[in-house]
Amino acid sequence: MQMNHLVLFSTILLISVFTNSSPVDVLRGEQIIKDGSTIVSAEGEFELGFFSPGSSTKRYVGIWFKKISSGTRTTVWVANRDAPLNNTSGVLKIDSKAISLFSNASSTVIWSSSYSRPVDSPVAQLLDSGNLVIRDEDDGGLENSVWQSFDYPADTILPGMKFGTDLVRGLRWEHSSYKSADDPSAGSFVHRIDIHGFPQFLLWKGSELHARNGPWVGNRFSGDPEPKTNNIYMNEFVIEAMEIYYAFHLLNKSSTTPITRLTLTPNGKYTASGME
């Protein structure tokens, strides 16, 4: 009998260790993320936590590629890009009305984003698309999320992310460059859609029009070269009464699929990784 108890205890302990070491992609209302802790998407594609870009010592909450093993994190989204912390006292938490970043030392709100509607049991989940979504835990459908990071892009477009305008909510899915590799705050360049006439994308440097792609002509923007045939992604351009947007989608997702993204650099250039 004693041996059976020992085996049972060892089994429970082993299960507990395995569970605690597995990726955790969900943050519930009673939980927080402190500087030094992270959550990881279910398949280990993305990670969310605190970081310092480049040689900076300032702290930001961001999402980065988990599987890129280079010394510098490849960050795809930053929450408090214009409101950095000067120390490691940051705490990220959610409640029924907002997701917020606090300075634990002073209880000061550093950054906050409210939901489209209050929820009783909020859950934040980091998806393998790189999207952080907040939903009611009692409503498992992601389509009913009350907030998502994809609605507030930084300098990067990921597969499935919309780039354009939500005409109902008044959201503009636009991308702004970092000031520098050490500073993710909004830089000089902004890429956004112009919906006057035939929709097209315009690159602005401050108040000056810097470049344009021309309108969509079925498979590309008129100012772009004819696209090459590829088996990695497909382009989509949607013009509807409720929204106008461009997006690209991966055709297949496997271990050999390259890391795919579009990034607006601090000098106003778009780099297309994995889309050659």
Side-chain angles (χ1 to χ4, degrees):
M1 182 65 68
Q2 290 181 350
M3 180 60 70
N4 289 341
H5 286 165
L6 180 60
V7 170
L8 178 61
F9 175 79
S10 300
T11 303
I12 293 174
L13 181 61
L14 181 60
I15 292 173
S16 175
V17 170
F18 178 78
T19 302
N20 291 336
S21 63
S22 300
V24 176
D25 63 343
V26 169
L27 177 71
R28 291 179 171 81
E30 71 275 9
Q31 299 171 320
I32 61 173
I33 296 179
K34 294 183 177 180
D35 197 315
S37 60
T38 64
I39 60 174
V40 178
S41 63
E43 298 297 324
E45 298 289 339
F46 290 91
E47 187 170 21
L48 178 147
F50 290 80
F51 76 103
S52 293
S55 60
S56 174
T57 59
K58 294 182 178 180
R59 303 297 284 170
Y60 300 85
V61 171
I63 297 171
W64 55 84
F65 287 103
K66 174 70 171 174
K67 293 183 177 180
I68 294 181
S69 58
S70 61
T72 302
R73 287 191 175 100
T74 303
T75 308
V76 299
W77 181 76
V78 183
N80 58 318
R81 61 185 302 195
D82 294 309
L85 281 157
N86 294 317
N87 52 50
T88 59
S89 68
V91 174
L92 184 71
K93 60 182 179 180
I94 60 173
D95 60 28
S96 62
K97 296 181 179 180
I99 177 171
S100 303
L101 172 64
F102 291 85
S103 170
N104 201 34
S106 61
S107 298
T108 301
V109 177
I110 304 299
W111 168 87
S112 184
S113 187
S114 58
Y115 311 148
S116 59
R117 57 180 171 81
V119 290
D120 294 328
S121 303
V123 170
Q125 184 173 11
L126 180 59
L127 307 181
D128 280 307
S129 62
N131 193 8
L132 178 68
V133 300
I134 296 177
R135 56 180 173 80
D136 195 313
E137 188 168 21
D138 297 327
D139 182 357
L142 294 175
E143 68 277 3
N144 295 324
S145 62
V146 296
W147 183 91
Q148 61 175 351
S149 61
F150 270 18
D151 279 339
Y152 305 94
D155 70 332
T156 299
I157 307 175
L158 293 171
M161 179 183 285
K162 295 178 180 180
F163 179 22
T165 300
D166 184 322
L167 299 170
V168 176
R169 294 183 293 164
L171 281 176
R172 293 201 300 190
W173 300 304
E174 60 186 33
H175 300 83
S176 58
S177 64
Y178 287 3
K179 281 188 176 179
S180 71
D182 301 328
D183 185 353
S185 61
S188 300
F189 294 92
V190 178
H191 204 199
R192 62 169 64 104
I193 194 171
D194 178 12
I195 60 175
H196 300 94
F198 292 105
Q200 61 178 313
F201 290 104
L202 306 179
L203 179 64
W204 295 87
K205 184 179 182 182
S207 60
E208 174 189 349
L209 179 60
H210 190 74
R212 69 174 74 229
N213 293 74
W216 184 255
V217 291
N219 64 342
R220 61 184 172 88
F221 298 100
S222 62
D224 293 341
E226 195 72 29
K228 297 179 181 179
T229 302
N230 75 88
N231 58 0
I232 299 174
Y233 69 96
M234 62 171 287
N235 290 311
E236 176 189 32
F237 197 87
V238 174
I239 303 177
E240 295 180 345
M242 298 178 65
E243 56 187 2
I244 300 173
Y245 68 87
Y246 163 79
F248 69 94
H249 305 274
L250 296 180
L251 296 174
N252 296 291
K253 182 65 177 176
S254 69
S255 59
T256 60
T257 303
I259 298 295
T260 308
R261 70 187 187 279
L262 287 169
T263 304
L264 181 60
T265 66
N267 61 0
K269 303 294 183 183
Y270 252 117
T271 61
S273 302
M275 302 178 69
E276 296 78 10

